[in-house]
Amino acid sequence: MPLKLTVDADRWRKHVQTFAEATPGLVPVAKGNGYGLTLRKLAHQTEWLTGLGTGVDTLAVGTYNEVWEVATRFSGSIYVLTPWRPYSPEINPEIADRVIHTISRPEDLPLLLERQPGARVILELVTSMRRHGMTPSDLWPTAAGAREHARFEGITMHFGLDGGSLAEVRAQMDAVVGAEAKTVWVSHLSANELAQLRAAYGDITFRPRVGTALWLGDRGALTVTATVEDVHPLERGYSYGYRGRTALRAGHLVVASGGTAHGIGLEAPLGDTHLRSRALAVARGGLDAMGQSRSPYTLDGKALWFAEPPHMQESMLMLPSGARVPEVGEELEVRVRYTATSFDEIVLDS
């Protein structure tokens, strides 16, 4: 039985449309697992936004391997966020004119133009993230080459999630003006910050790249459920699971769909540096060491505990004595990180 994502289609589309209409120059982002919704669905939805007259004409993807998957469902420009490198995959000639490349090193531009004369390019300016990008001294001569030999689409800057980037954008604008760029592609700026930039630089177009807030901005439109596949009574001292664990108390063992193959039970390193968050992480680590770990599954609004680490396709959950015992085939709600979860079934419920 599936790990299922149910989407209230009308509510979800209303949010997506409202967000797009309120965000001038919006560039939707579809990368990775498509924020749990799949790249294909997001590409189709972006085409829908284009047809509504929202001004959406470009879709951003993460890598070159994702280009073709969206190209057959979206008819506009496709902007690849990962910088081009000499080892990057070749673009299908049928769609080459639709692809916009990111150039983050001066030496890559002439190499790209050897393979694809007149390629569309965006030059990346380094920010405090220091992930990719050129310094102004490298950017200006590269921009001159792009204006002469390529289709120069502007400058891109990528910022972190911790805010405070508006001052940095303002500080970088001298480099943008020096590169004679007319368009700046940015990420992680608020609507208010973008409005301030547009007011200050009226001759420059700002194009915000947005993924999470666009596709997952109304979490109430999304429901994740897992199916109860089996239920077994447990007495204290019974053994269970792959690892032959022993039940410390009586209750029930619930087997539900969803496992590590779906992303259940897998965690990325925490980015929160606050003391309280670190203390909670230490506490969770102590529980894990004792074989106790809270699961993302809930029954009647209460979180269940993993009986043991999740398997590939399913998870074993511990239900305490006295709790309502679910029926086989019943659905449990699951809290997931959408960008790290793959679903067996996605249902658009209109």
Side-chain angles (χ1 to χ4, degrees), residues 173-185:
M173 288 307 294
D174 284 345
V176 172
V177 172
E180 299 182 30
K182 299 301 182 184
T183 304
V184 176
W185 310 69

Side-chain angles (χ1 to χ4, degrees), residues 35-341:
Y35 297 85
L37 295 155
T38 75
L39 295 177
R40 296 180 179 186
K41 280 186 170 59
L42 298 190
H44 180 76
Q45 192 70 18
T46 304
E47 184 75 3
W48 175 74
L49 286 174
T50 300
L52 291 177
T54 58
V56 172
D57 59 5
T58 303
L59 175 64
V61 297
T63 69
Y64 283 92
N65 292 323
E66 296 167 348
V67 169
W68 186 252
E69 189 165 357
V70 303
T72 56
R73 294 164 180 82
F74 172 68
S75 60
S77 299
I78 302 170
Y79 167 19
V80 184
L81 297 174
T82 298
W84 185 88
R85 293 290 186 262
Y87 48 78
S88 296
E90 296 290 337
I91 296 294
N92 188 312
E94 295 179 19
I95 60 171
D97 287 343
R98 294 171 53 198
V99 176
I100 306 174
H101 307 272
T102 300
I103 297 296
S104 66
R105 305 187 306 171
E107 61 266 35
D108 287 331
L109 180 60
L111 295 175
L112 169 62
L113 293 176
E114 284 181 12
R115 301 185 190 182
Q116 186 184 342
R120 302 171 68 184
V121 299
I122 295 173
L123 305 185
E124 184 158 5
L125 178 62
V126 70
T127 69
S128 57
M129 279 190 67
R130 306 191 193 286
R131 184 170 65 177
H132 302 296
M134 293 175 268
T135 62
S137 60
D138 284 334
L139 180 73
W140 291 333
T142 306
R147 290 194 302 272
E148 184 175 354
H149 302 292
R151 292 173 61 186
F152 182 34
E153 303 278 355
I155 303 295
T156 179
M157 292 183 276
H158 198 106
F159 302 101
L161 299 171
D162 57 355
S165 53
L166 180 58
E168 185 177 357
V169 178
R170 291 182 182 276
Q172 299 275 44
M173 288 307 294
D174 284 345
V176 172
V177 172
E180 299 182 30
K182 299 301 182 184
T183 304
V184 176
W185 310 69
V186 295
S187 59
H188 304 142
L189 294 180
S190 68
N192 181 56
E193 289 170 331
L194 287 165
Q196 292 183 57
L197 289 170
R198 292 186 177 107
Y201 304 97
D203 58 339
I204 292 178
T205 299
F206 289 87
R207 302 290 308 267
R209 300 180 300 253
V210 185
T212 302
L214 174 64
W215 307 122
L216 303 177
D218 183 358
R219 298 297 175 94
L222 310 172
T223 304
V224 179
T225 53
T227 305
V228 175
E229 298 176 345
D230 236 322
V231 180
H232 303 289
L234 278 181
E235 296 295 335
R236 182 178 179 182
Y238 276 19
S239 63
Y240 63 86
Y242 278 139
R243 297 160 181 81
R245 292 190 175 187
T246 301
L248 301 178
R249 58 188 66 86
H252 284 81
L253 192 67
V254 177
V255 183
S257 57
T260 55
H262 301 89
I264 298 295
L266 304 180
E267 293 187 17
L270 294 175
D272 197 333
T273 57
H274 293 89
L275 184 60
R276 182 174 182 275
S277 298
R278 290 183 175 181
L280 290 172
V282 170
R284 284 195 299 270
L287 289 171
D288 289 344
M290 293 186 293
Q292 301 180 45
S293 182
R294 191 181 297 273
S295 83
Y297 296 82
T298 62
L299 175 64
D300 298 334
K302 295 183 178 179
L304 301 177
W305 292 78
F306 282 123
E308 68 173 4
H311 309 158
M312 281 193 70
Q313 305 291 345
E314 58 191 12
S315 294
M316 301 180 75
L317 310 167
M318 190 64 70
L319 186 67
S321 179
R324 182 181 70 83
V325 180
E327 299 288 337
V328 172
E330 186 174 335
E331 292 186 335
L332 306 177
E333 287 203 19
V334 191
R335 294 176 293 101
V336 301
R337 183 178 178 184
Y338 288 92
T339 55
T341 307

